[in-house]
Amino acid sequence: MRHRALYQYNDVMKHYMQQYKFNGDYLLKGVFNHDLIQLIDNIDKDIVVPIPVSHYTMQTRGFNQVVGMLDGQTLSDILSIAASKKDHQSQFGRRERMNRQQPFALNVSSQLIVGQRILLVDDVYTTGNTMYHAANLLYQAGAKTVKSISLAR
Amino acid sequence: MKIENLYGRQLVCPKIDNNLGESRSAFQDGICQRCNQKIVAPLPNDAFYCRACLTLGRVSSLDNLVSLPEPNHFSGKVTLSWTGTLTHQQQKVSEDLLITLALHREHLVWAVTGAGKTEMLFPLIYRALQQKLRVGIVAPRVDVIVELSPRLHAAFAQTDMVTLYGEQTDCYRYTQLVLATTHQLLKFREAFDVLIIDEVDSFPFAGNDMLTHAVNNAVKVCHTMVYLTATPTRQLRKRINKGLPVSYLPLRFHQHLLPEIQLARLNKWRKKLPKKFQKQLSHLVESNKRFLIFVPKVADLKPVHDTINRWFPKMRGDFVHANDKRRQEKVKSMRNEEVQYLVTTTILERGVTFPGINVIILGADDEMFTENALVQIAGRVGRKSDCPTGLVLAYVEHVTLKVKAAQRQIIRLNRLGEKLRESM
């Protein structure tokens, strides 16, 4: 699967993620908004799908960091987290991440996905595991193509 | 989490989690219950969070604040392992403080820089610890806390204590003695029987509504509060007139007078550091003296350091500012005499002692240096009895009223100190 990242994951990006995502300073959502939407505009797709966060994260962090960054972009909220409480990936090593079961479920009937060109968006791309599982699910449902982008890799 | 880690604390917990302790809503009418400010930013789904105290971990409308009453569960023996003796004047102040403790009052100690304020506190702290009271010692500046910490460890070797400030990674533990920056008090609620606020006039505490709230919230209803400063703000001096009890100490513990500020003109120093300045430095370098150079702005640090480095390539030095990642490390290397000088902003104006230090202030007429800041900077010099004097040189482009006022303040204090010395 083709993946494109806007920026390299370096100390500055780490600091940004720390403030925005983990310390929850939602006002910082706009920092890369313009750049991300410009990238999305230049990619052929039918629908843009953000990687979801769990119900628990919505009740604690209070926002989906990807949705926040894409303010103004039409999004299709077709994925959700299958497990009731998603374990935070950042606490796992590479091997543990790759071995995880399919974490996502479809929110909509697969009829709506058949033949669609889908663009997945995440904040940070590390092992590719998240994108792999999401794309897998979408292809199984009949998606025509699945591409992915992230803010940083 | 251990239940005792909630005693007198106020911690942020998501509402969705099962909380230990007593919970209350994090916001009332949009006002953050941790910091008492109304500076919120929105989250999706009508939730919101406080931006005023965000640096201490976010408080949002999705959270509760949890706490447990402070029960004074302290065991173990208390000893005062400090073996020094107080001067007659210090003794007098420390007796005032014992009375303050007995009456659960507020008290201001107005003592010159280098008066030995910390040692004067020992009898008060010792008695409070014996009475199983919880004691907090706080200061607005992290450098002050970092320097106080080993001295208190040495003085109360058998008492468990934690030192809390922003960048440090030490975990919180329930201890009878707590050292912290004033910001850390936002994580406490009705915890302290005795709270001592050092350098009470300094940034960012003075005039800061959030930190004032933090202090009032962190003490128990019945408490003893001690303020320490060498340079009280006008507001604090007004409170003296309205009846705030005060102890004065205009003489340093080693009985020598304060070094006075010398003034000299230095034009256009930002453009190019003049030869005159180089000559002055070479006096210090030749006699192997250690020194601090204070500059008004962060942007001045590197150019000044680079020039000195070019002039004296063999001499080791460094520069430091508030947001420097290696700030603690650099101050430590100065303390350990690994470097001979530091170029610094006003962050080292107070609370720090480097034996045998000299100070030079570049741009002393800049608005960054207040009258009290200049008095504090001068107060870094001559703090040890074996080296009670040193150079305090303020370079200005224009002689301002403020610089003159700082000079006069020291002269006035020395007059009082001299009188006290003669009366003994």
Side-chain angles (χ1 to χ4, degrees):
Chain A
M1 189 175 71
R2 263 182 65 79
H3 178 83
R4 284 172 68 180
L6 256 186
Y7 298 101
Q8 207 169 30
Y9 188 73
N10 57 13
D11 281 353
V12 178
M13 191 55 83
K14 189 176 170 185
H15 183 68
Y16 169 73
M17 281 297 163
Q18 186 61 42
Q19 291 308 311
Y20 169 56
K21 183 173 164 181
F22 297 110
N23 204 27
D25 193 359
Y26 192 57
L27 277 192
L28 300 177
K29 69 188 161 79
V31 176
F32 298 107
N33 180 262
H34 179 77
D35 297 353
L36 274 168
I37 288 178
Q38 203 166 40
L39 177 65
I40 291 169
D41 283 347
N42 288 325
I43 295 175
D44 287 333
K45 79 278 160 189
D46 297 314
I47 56 172
V48 179
V49 178
I51 294 295
V53 298
S54 68
H55 175 70
Y56 182 77
T57 298
M58 279 308 284
Q59 290 303 310
T60 51
R61 186 179 299 156
F63 60 92
N64 176 329
Q65 65 278 4
V66 180
V67 174
M69 290 192 294
L70 296 179
D71 212 3
Q73 169 73 43
T74 309
L75 300 173
S76 302
D77 193 15
I78 62 170
L79 291 177
S80 59
I81 301 285
S84 58
K85 181 175 172 178
K86 183 190 169 195
D87 297 306
H88 282 288
Q89 277 222 45
S90 27
Q91 55 190 294
F92 295 111
R94 183 183 167 90
R95 175 173 303 226
E96 287 162 304
R97 288 192 196 190
M98 295 308 266
N99 289 337
R100 277 169 67 223
Q101 301 273 309
Q102 173 60 265
F104 302 116
L106 281 179
N107 269 343
V108 294
S109 113
S110 53
Q111 284 168 345
L112 293 168
I113 295 166
V114 173
Q116 294 285 316
R117 294 170 303 161
I118 295 170
L119 178 63
L120 289 168
V121 189
D122 203 355
D123 52 352
V124 179
Y125 181 101
T126 311
T127 62
N129 194 44
T130 299
M131 293 299 194
Y132 168 81
H133 283 300
N136 221 358
L137 189 68
L138 294 167
Y139 275 125
Q140 278 169 10
K144 188 177 170 198
T145 61
V146 182
K147 292 177 188 169
S148 66
I149 61 163
S150 63
L151 175 66
R153 177 178 188 171
Chain B
M1 186 173 62
K2 283 188 187 165
I3 194 95
E4 61 179 31
N5 281 0
L6 274 174
Y7 293 162
R9 292 283 272 177
Q10 73 177 354
L11 302 181
V12 183
C13 247
K15 282 178 178 163
I16 192 175
D17 286 352
N18 285 327
N19 299 330
L20 289 163
E22 296 159 10
S23 300
R24 59 191 178 118
S25 193
F27 289 88
Q28 294 264 331
D29 305 322
I31 297 169
C32 173
Q33 295 305 290
R34 182 167 71 174
C35 72
N36 203 37
Q37 306 301 299
K38 197 173 184 174
I39 306 170
V40 295
L43 287 169
N45 308 314
D46 296 325
F48 51 89
Y49 65 103
C50 177
R51 290 207 90 238
C53 60
L54 188 62
T55 50
L56 283 112
R58 191 184 73 173
V59 178
S60 85
S61 56
L62 302 165
D63 298 315
N64 281 323
L65 294 175
V66 301
S67 185
L68 278 176
E70 157 59 49
N72 297 77
H73 279 180
F74 307 114
S75 52
K77 222 175 130 211
V78 179
T79 53
L80 179 58
S81 32
W82 180 67
T83 52
T85 47
L86 295 173
T87 64
H88 181 69
Q89 308 97 299
Q90 284 177 315
Q91 186 72 41
K92 172 82 184 58
V93 176
S94 78
E95 280 161 17
D96 289 349
L97 289 175
L98 290 176
I99 293 167
T100 301
L101 178 67
L103 299 174
H104 309 295
R105 273 202 315 211
E106 287 190 302
H107 195 96
L108 169 67
V109 177
W110 184 349
V112 288
T113 55
K117 288 196 290 282
T118 310
E119 290 76 14
M120 285 185 261
L121 295 172
F122 289 162
L124 164 75
I125 298 169
Y126 182 48
R127 184 165 299 175
L129 292 175
Q130 283 177 318
Q131 293 175 359
K132 303 281 179 229
L133 301 177
R134 197 172 192 196
V135 180
I137 303 168
V138 298
R141 304 279 184 111
V142 59
D143 306 272
V144 176
I145 290 303
V146 169
E147 185 168 292
L148 271 179
S149 177
R151 293 165 73 187
L152 281 152
H153 272 283
F156 299 97
Q158 288 188 306
T159 302
D160 197 15
M161 63 185 88
V162 279
T163 306
L164 307 169
Y165 56 92
E167 306 89 65
Q168 128 270 42
T169 47
D170 260 19
C171 272
Y172 174 79
R173 278 181 299 119
Y174 178 57
T175 57
Q176 189 176 5
L177 192 54
V178 175
L179 264 89
T181 53
T182 43
H183 271 92
Q184 292 295 319
L185 291 180
L186 287 167
K187 294 185 178 174
F188 288 90
R189 178 175 166 83
E190 299 188 7
F192 298 107
D193 304 280
V194 178
L195 189 65
I196 298 160
I197 310 175
D198 197 3
E199 308 287 0
V200 67
D201 62 305
S202 76
F203 179 85
F205 183 74
N208 184 316
D209 186 53
M210 177 171 91
L211 295 177
T212 305
H213 169 79
V215 164
N216 295 330
N217 192 50
V219 291
K220 290 186 184 171
V221 177
C222 176
H223 65 266
T224 302
M225 188 106 84
V226 176
Y227 306 107
L228 304 175
T229 177
T231 46
T233 56
R234 185 175 300 158
Q235 285 91 328
L236 212 48
R237 293 199 300 258
K238 267 188 194 156
R239 287 196 55 197
I240 299 172
N241 297 336
K242 284 186 186 153
L244 175 67
V246 59
S247 304
Y248 298 96
L249 215 179
L251 195 58
R252 288 184 150 181
F253 79 93
H254 55 44
Q255 315 293 308
H256 294 271
L257 298 182
L258 299 165
E260 289 179 8
I261 299 173
Q262 297 176 38
L263 275 185
R265 296 281 290 274
L266 199 65
N267 288 328
K268 297 189 174 125
W269 61 274
R270 274 201 177 97
K271 215 170 167 192
K272 185 172 179 285
L273 278 172
K275 282 273 178 283
K276 187 174 164 187
F277 177 62
Q278 183 179 8
K279 215 171 149 193
Q280 179 63 52
L281 280 190
S282 58
H283 288 314
L284 292 171
V285 176
E286 279 159 23
S287 49
N288 224 2
K289 294 256 175 68
R290 297 159 50 67
F291 56 94
L292 296 171
I293 296 181
F294 286 86
V295 295
K297 297 193 173 94
V298 174
D300 299 323
L301 291 167
K302 198 172 169 338
V304 170
H305 175 257
D306 287 351
T307 307
I308 296 172
N309 208 18
R310 206 174 61 241
W311 286 341
F312 309 99
K314 280 186 199 153
M315 179 170 60
R316 291 198 59 194
D318 215 331
F319 59 96
V320 64
H321 58 90
N323 295 322
D324 195 326
K325 275 187 186 158
R326 293 174 49 233
R327 172 176 170 176
Q328 300 308 332
E329 195 185 316
K330 287 175 175 178
V331 173
K332 207 174 159 192
S333 70
M334 185 70 191
R335 199 161 284 149
N336 298 344
E337 308 199 2
E338 287 159 30
V339 294
Q340 195 173 342
Y341 70 93
L342 277 180
V343 187
T344 176
T345 55
T346 52
I347 58 159
L348 294 185
E349 80 183 22
R350 57 175 78 223
V352 292
T353 299
F354 301 110
I357 203 78
N358 299 274
V359 302
I360 294 177
I361 307 152
L362 284 171
D365 48 341
D366 191 285
E367 60 180 346
M368 279 307 293
F369 296 113
T370 61
E371 175 189 337
N372 281 349
L374 292 171
V375 172
Q376 288 283 354
I377 288 169
R380 295 313 95 206
V381 176
R383 295 171 74 91
K384 294 282 176 187
S385 47
D386 54 0
C387 196
T389 58
L391 176 74
V392 180
L393 180 56
Y395 282 117
V396 294
E397 284 190 70
H398 309 281
V399 179
T400 58
L401 285 174
K402 176 196 74 186
V403 178
K404 287 304 242 184
Q407 262 187 322
R408 272 202 305 271
Q409 191 182 131
I410 291 176
I411 292 169
R412 206 167 51 234
L413 288 165
N414 277 343
R415 218 174 280 147
L416 290 170
E418 229 165 6
K419 219 183 266 172
L420 182 65
R421 210 161 52 176
E422 282 162 11
S423 73
M424 287 184 319

